[in-house]
Amino acid sequence: MVPIELSELDCSVARTLDLVGDRWSILILRDAFYGVRRFEDFQHDLGIARNVLAARLKKFVESGVMERRAYQDRPPRYEYRLTPKGRELLPVMLAMMAWGDKWTSEGEPPVTLTHVPCDHTLAPVVACSHCGDEIRLHEVHADPLPVRPRVAS
């Protein structure tokens, strides 16, 4: 049986995983949300191999999640900034953080988030875009189509 590429499935979760679904990609995004922009800073903070980091950053740039901007001419050096598409991954990262704080942290969470407009500590929640209530599994109905490869047009 030939394995199906995640990017070819008619499933938003699978296609997202194809782009950001490995540990290094998620941690690079986490650092980008914390303000890390330069290759050397990502590498130093994560302890990631240079070739792996270069490949992940290239994929993010090609997919429009990050953009590469020159910050020095001699020698040429670049920084990587989240694009609007990349910044929209924030709720995904916050949901993962909230889950990790609840189920993998012993004691206090390693990072505290503050909502700047009201200056209070926040706990991320996924909420209904209509009524604002927190979303719970037993209150959600999904009407999915079968997951299948996308038809080429």
Side-chain angles (χ1 to χ4, degrees), residues 2-3 14 29 42 51 73 79 87 108 113 120-121 124-125 140:
V2 177
L29 287 170
F42 282 112
N51 64 320
D73 291 330
E79 64 182 16
R87 288 190 296 272
E108 291 296 314
L113 301 173
H120 283 89
T121 301
V125 296
V140 174

Side-chain angles (χ1 to χ4, degrees), residues 29-98:
L29 287 170
R30 179 207 61 192
D31 275 14
F33 282 113
Y34 288 163
V36 176
R37 293 185 175 149
R38 296 182 178 177
F39 187 96
E40 293 78 16
D41 295 335
F42 282 112
Q43 208 238 341
H44 179 263
D45 188 56
L46 298 171
I48 183 174
R50 294 180 70 80
N51 64 320
V52 174
L53 177 57
R56 296 311 186 280
L57 289 171
K58 181 180 180 191
K59 187 174 186 177
F60 285 153
V61 170
E62 288 173 350
S63 67
V65 169
M66 290 180 142
E67 64 182 2
R68 185 178 149 185
R69 291 187 189 170
Y71 70 87
Q72 179 178 309
D73 291 330
R74 294 178 180 241
R77 296 198 187 261
Y78 301 89
E79 64 182 16
Y80 298 85
R81 292 178 174 244
L82 292 165
T83 62
K85 181 178 181 178
R87 288 190 296 272
E88 286 194 22
L89 285 163
L90 180 62
V92 175
M93 300 300 291
L94 292 177
M96 289 180 66
M97 178 186 276

